[in-house]
Amino acid sequence: MSDLSDLRGSQFQDADLQGSRFTTVDLTGSTFRFVGFHGVVMRGVELTDTTIDGEVQNLVINGIDVAPLVEAELDRRHPEKPLFRPTTADGFRQAWDVNERLWATTVDRARRLPAELLHESVAEEWSFIQTLRHLAFASESWVARGILGDPSPWHPLSLPWDQMRPRPGVPRDRDARPSLDEALALRLDAMAVVRGVVDDLTDQQLDRMTEPLVGPGWPDESATFPVRDCLLVVLNEEWWHRRYAERDLAVLEARGGY
């Protein structure tokens, strides 16, 4: 086996390393982005000064499942978060009301920064403008396409996640630089579609299966979902991406002394 020091600084992208075994390996300073750690076993590890952001379930550390503890602490720190897991039609309406209000304050905060900073990435994350574009994509995909059946609801500026492979008819212009008002117009149009659905929502509709999707795009053609699941995906995207946006706005404000 070759000296592992030869692999320092290596880049692994679109690699299938399932079933791999790492023994006496130093991963200090490594970065993992959009990586699956399902069924991973770690023994005798040293884990310090490590940051994990993602969907965490059944994470057992030293015999304790810490995922429920993390979720409970997030709920404590962010009292609005439990509202983003509604179970009734009224709950979805309340969640969307709160979401609109929270995002309005975040956009007001962003407007106080110079326009060029809203295109700036913090720690390789999406810029504020890109975040707005992605959330429009999520609403268009899961509500306009998923629930309402529009086969191609996307605006040219809508932004899918970076790792999505190109799909016919789905926009993918990551480098576009619309103004805040242009991105916000797209965003608000997509939010209005969600608002229209939740305003008319009934408890009976939540468990109804959507019609099989028509045409290429995202979600996949022929897929069908409970209406509830489509709306929960959007709410999850909304809550987390606003949290990320607020985090990065704070960095930009500190960097510029605003």
Side-chain angles (χ1 to χ4, degrees), residues 137-176:
F137 174 83
S139 293
E140 291 164 339
S141 297
W142 288 99
V143 178
R145 176 174 164 88
I147 296 177
L148 299 179
D150 184 342
S152 184
W154 305 285
H155 186 281
L157 287 174
S158 301
L159 185 65
W161 70 98
D162 287 344
Q163 289 69 35
M164 189 185 82
R165 300 188 184 280
R167 294 170 180 242
V170 179
R172 196 181 176 81
D173 189 357
R174 194 185 196 280
D175 297 326

Side-chain angles (χ1 to χ4, degrees), residues 11-258:
Q11 300 286 323
F12 298 93
Q13 187 167 347
D14 292 329
D16 188 348
L17 299 178
Q18 294 184 65
S20 298
R21 187 179 186 90
F22 301 90
T23 304
T24 320
V25 174
D26 189 352
L27 296 174
T28 301
S30 297
T31 299
F32 300 89
R33 297 178 64 84
F34 301 99
V35 175
F37 284 108
H38 310 290
V40 172
V41 176
M42 300 181 185
R43 295 283 186 265
V45 299
E46 296 179 2
L47 195 65
T48 60
D49 301 323
T50 299
T51 300
I52 300 174
D53 279 309
E55 295 186 16
V56 180
Q57 297 180 15
N58 303 322
L59 175 60
V60 179
I61 298 180
N62 293 334
I64 298 173
D65 184 358
V66 302
L69 306 179
V70 172
E71 190 70 16
E73 179 62 12
L74 283 170
D75 288 351
R76 186 189 69 80
R77 294 187 182 189
H78 307 281
E80 78 284 354
K81 188 174 186 296
L83 298 177
F84 283 68
R85 302 190 297 269
T87 59
T88 66
D90 284 341
F92 277 97
R93 279 185 281 275
Q94 182 184 16
W96 199 250
D97 288 344
V98 172
N99 184 60
E100 289 177 334
R101 185 170 68 251
L102 291 174
W103 265 106
T105 64
T106 299
V107 170
D108 286 344
R109 181 179 183 181
R111 284 193 184 279
R112 293 194 286 270
L113 289 172
E116 63 271 15
L117 287 184
L118 301 183
H119 291 286
E120 189 166 325
S121 170
V122 174
E124 301 182 28
E125 299 291 344
W126 277 329
S127 70
F128 188 79
I129 297 292
Q130 288 170 329
T131 297
L132 297 181
R133 295 170 57 202
H134 174 68
L135 288 173
F137 174 83
S139 293
E140 291 164 339
S141 297
W142 288 99
V143 178
R145 176 174 164 88
I147 296 177
L148 299 179
D150 184 342
S152 184
W154 305 285
H155 186 281
L157 287 174
S158 301
L159 185 65
W161 70 98
D162 287 344
Q163 289 69 35
M164 189 185 82
R165 300 188 184 280
R167 294 170 180 242
V170 179
R172 196 181 176 81
D173 189 357
R174 194 185 196 280
D175 297 326
R177 290 176 64 89
S179 67
L180 174 60
D181 286 337
E182 289 171 327
L184 195 57
L186 162 65
R187 163 83 164 132
L188 292 176
D189 283 348
M191 292 180 78
V193 172
V194 182
R195 167 56 69 187
V197 169
V198 299
D199 277 352
D200 294 333
L201 192 65
T202 66
D203 289 341
Q204 292 72 30
Q205 289 172 331
L206 284 172
D207 292 318
R208 177 180 63 81
M209 299 298 292
T210 62
E211 294 296 322
L213 297 178
V214 176
W218 177 256
D220 290 323
E221 186 170 12
S222 300
T224 182
F225 309 90
V227 169
R228 177 194 310 275
D229 289 359
C230 294
L231 292 173
L232 285 173
V233 169
V234 171
L235 285 175
N236 187 62
E237 290 277 308
E238 292 282 340
W239 193 87
W240 281 105
H241 280 291
R242 195 188 75 86
R243 179 171 176 260
Y244 300 150
E246 290 279 341
R247 175 199 63 196
D248 293 348
L249 287 173
V251 173
L252 295 173
E253 289 165 347
R255 184 180 299 170
Y258 300 98

